[in-house]
Structures are given as C-alpha cells and as structure tokens.
C-alpha cells in the first residue's frame, strides 16, 4: 500500500548535477547554442566589417554635399556622380573606356608577371644567374618607370605599346623581388631532403620551391596589381585617346568634376576587384597553409 501511494505521486523533475531541475538539459544544449551564435556573429562581422568605413565615407560625402559644405565644383554629390556614369553608360562610352583600360591592364600585367616570375625563379634557384642578372636588374629597378613616359612616347608614339610596356615595367619588379625572396626563404633542409629522395631540379622547383615561395609570390602579385593601375592612370592621362585615364583628363578640360570623381571611383573599384580576386586565388592555392585554412571553430 505505501508503495502504491508513492507510485501514484507525480514524479519529481530530474535535477542535474547542481541540484536545480533541468540543469543537465541546459548544460547539454546551451553551450552548443551559444557557440553557434558566436560563429554566426563572427561570420556576419567578417562579411559586414570591411564595408563599415566605405559606407561611413559615403554618408559623410552625401551629407557634406547636401548641406553645402563642399560645393559641386569641388566635390559633387554621389547622385551627381551616379548620373554622370549613367549618362555615359547610356551612350556606351563608359563601357568602352572600361574595357579598353582592362585590356591594357591584362596585357601589361601578363607580360610583366610572366617575366618577373621566370627571372625570379632563375635568380632564386641559381647562384650563377644571380651573379649574372641580379645586379643589373637592381640598377634598372631604381629608375622610376613613370619617368620613362617621354622616352616611350618618342620610341613608340601614342599607341598601345608605351602603355602596355609601362604597366609591364610597374608589374615586373614587385613580382620579381617577391619571387626571389620567396625562393630564398624556402628551408634548405627541405630541398636537401628532396634531393636525397632523388628529385630532379624540375621536381624540386615544382614540389618544394613553388609551394614554399607561393605566399610571398602572391603578396607580390597583390602589390603589383595596385602599381599596374597607378601606372595606367599616368599613361592614359598623358598619351591616350581612350580609357578611364583619358576620361578623367577629358573631363578636366571640360570642367566636369562629376566625371573626374567617376573615374576615381572606377579606379577604386578596379583595385578592390583585383584584391578580391587575388585573395580568392590565395585561398585556393594555399589551402595547405595553416594561415589560409578556414577555421572550423569560428
């Protein structure tokens, strides 16, 4: 009879280790939920964080233009720049200038990057090549490549050749120097280990030297892309009849400040896209590197 009365009573809720009802359940599900929320917040911060400063600049720009602190002759409002771009896009002129500048960048960057990589690997891997070439290349590096603009125009006129060659020169040296530095930064013990396993010179370069030097090489590529756009700005401003630099120069002569600011914004967007592309390549190529590997706990 007492046993039946005890069984008939409502069962007491299970208490966790702390003696509080439901404490075990809270401890079992609360921690993973908090960790999941923290990961979501970190991911959102990484996505939105880089855009905070540009948005603040845009808001301040619009506000100063709206209240009249900066007159349109000095800095037009963002909507005026947008209208200028829309008008040029409606006639197809904007697309033509953008594609022309992109073509020059691609051709000049491909030429400079290929030459810088080849010579960088040769100098980094061979002491004889370093003695033969490095001193001469360092002497040429000290010459500002933009100072060669008049000479390029005298040699090739105002065609495409001087612009592409100037971009190639601006691209070559950052990639060359970073390639040589990356190759020399590879642990000699790894190379010795590869030789002991019977790897030939080509496989040493492909399997050990290239992966070890790749972080430094990609840093040089990121830097050289910025130099390439800066060089193209000068080249198109001085001697061009098309391109974004020509658009800015022509707008200056016509006193179109909105088109000048539009050209500056286009250059900024081009630099942003180039940097994003390089970062994407870094994540793909350097997946083996711990510093570029996605962190599962964040």
């Amino acid at each position: 009879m007492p046993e039946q009365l005890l069984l008939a009573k409502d069962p007491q809720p299970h208490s966790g280790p702390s003696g509080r009802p439901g404490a075990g359940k809270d401890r079992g599900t609360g921690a993973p939920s908090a960790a999941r929320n923290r990961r979501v917040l970190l991911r959102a911060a990484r996505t939105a964080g880089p855009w905070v400063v540009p948005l603040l600049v845009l808001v301040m720009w619009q506000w100063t233009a709206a209240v009249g602190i900066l007159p349109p002759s000095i800095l037009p409002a963002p909507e005026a720049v947008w209208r200028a771009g829309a008008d040029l896009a409606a006639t197809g002129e904007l697309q033509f200038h953008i594609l022309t500048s992109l073509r020059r960048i691609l051709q000049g960057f491909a030429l400079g990057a290929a030459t810088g990589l080849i010579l960088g690997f040769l100098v980094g891997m061979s002491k004889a090549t370093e003695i033969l070439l490095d001193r001469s290349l360092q002497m040429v590096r000290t010459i500002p490549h933009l100072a060669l603009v008049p000479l390029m125009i005298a040699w090739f006129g105002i065609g495409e050749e001087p612009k592409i060659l100037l971009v190639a020169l601006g691209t070559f040296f950052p990639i060359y120097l970073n390639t040589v530095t990356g190759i020399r930064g590879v642990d000699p013990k790894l190379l010795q280990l590869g030789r002991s396993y019977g790897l030939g010179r080509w496989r040493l370069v492909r399997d050990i030297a290239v992966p070890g030097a790749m972080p430094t090489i990609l840093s040089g590529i990121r830097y050289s892309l910025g130099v390439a756009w800066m060089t193209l700005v000068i080249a198109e401003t001085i001697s061009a009849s098309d391109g974004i630099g020509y658009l800015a120069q022509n707008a200056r002569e016509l006193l179109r400040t909105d088109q000048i600011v539009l050209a500056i914004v286009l250059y900024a967007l081009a630099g942003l896209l180039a940097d994003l592309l390089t970062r994407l390549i870094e994540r793909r190529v350097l997946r083996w590197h711990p510093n570029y590997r996605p962190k599962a706990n964040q």
Side-chain angles (χ1 to χ4, degrees):
M1 189 70 177
E3 290 82 358
Q4 294 179 356
L5 291 176
L6 290 173
L7 293 174
K9 292 182 180 180
D10 293 333
Q12 295 294 328
H14 178 69
S15 60
S18 63
R20 183 173 51 86
K25 183 177 180 180
D26 290 341
R27 181 168 296 184
T29 62
S33 177
R36 186 163 50 250
N37 292 336
R38 185 170 63 253
R39 287 196 298 269
V40 171
L41 290 176
L42 287 174
R43 194 176 300 115
R46 289 196 185 99
T47 303
W51 299 102
V52 171
V53 174
L55 288 176
L56 288 176
V57 172
L58 186 62
V59 170
M60 290 298 298
W61 179 11
Q62 177 63 38
W63 177 76
T64 54
V67 300
I69 296 177
L70 290 176
S73 59
I74 296 178
L75 186 64
E79 63 264 20
V81 177
W82 177 266
R83 284 196 303 269
D87 294 340
L88 291 173
T91 62
E93 186 178 355
L94 182 63
Q95 297 90 317
F96 172 73
H97 291 308
I98 292 175
L99 291 177
T100 301
S101 294
L102 284 176
R103 174 176 53 80
R104 290 168 179 160
I105 281 289
L106 290 176
Q107 292 176 344
F109 181 80
L111 178 60
T115 310
L117 287 172
I118 293 173
L119 291 181
F121 274 107
L122 290 176
V123 171
M125 297 294 296
S126 171
K127 192 67 177 178
T129 309
E130 178 187 358
I131 296 173
L132 182 65
L133 294 178
D134 188 64
R135 183 68 57 85
S136 300
L137 290 175
Q138 296 299 334
M139 291 172 61
V140 176
R141 183 177 66 89
T142 59
I143 302 174
H145 64 283
L146 293 178
L148 300 176
V149 171
L151 188 60
M152 291 287 184
I153 295 175
W155 285 350
F156 303 103
I158 59 172
E160 294 297 297
E161 292 85 357
K163 304 174 188 62
I164 295 173
L165 288 176
L166 284 171
V167 172
L169 280 174
T171 302
F172 168 78
F173 285 106
I175 294 180
Y176 167 77
L177 291 174
N178 279 271
T179 302
V180 173
T181 304
I183 292 294
R184 291 175 178 173
V186 176
D187 192 349
K189 294 180 181 178
L190 293 177
L191 297 174
Q192 185 64 34
L193 182 63
R195 293 189 187 97
S196 66
Y197 276 96
L199 297 183
R201 192 170 187 82
W202 165 246
R203 292 198 61 188
L204 282 175
V205 173
R206 186 191 68 181
D207 298 338
I208 298 178
V210 172
M214 192 56 68
T216 309
I217 293 173
L218 289 175
S219 298
I221 290 176
R222 287 181 63 185
Y223 178 75
S224 64
L225 281 170
V227 176
W229 278 107
M230 180 185 68
T231 304
L232 187 63
V233 172
I234 304 300
E236 288 183 341
T237 302
I238 294 175
S239 61
S241 58
D242 48 20
I244 302 176
Y246 168 77
L247 176 65
Q249 178 69 11
N250 189 56
R252 183 190 66 82
E253 295 177 356
L254 298 176
L255 301 179
R256 291 293 305 271
T257 313
D258 51 352
Q259 292 185 6
I260 297 175
V261 177
L262 173 64
I264 296 172
V265 172
L266 290 175
Y267 280 125
L269 292 176
L272 173 64
L273 292 177
D275 187 72
L276 291 177
L277 178 62
T278 311
R279 287 176 180 271
L280 179 62
I281 295 174
E282 283 180 346
R283 287 196 295 269
R284 297 278 184 175
V285 175
L286 301 176
R287 285 177 294 182
W288 56 270
H289 199 287
N291 291 334
Y292 296 89
R293 191 178 302 158
K295 295 180 176 56
N297 295 329
Q298 294 182 359

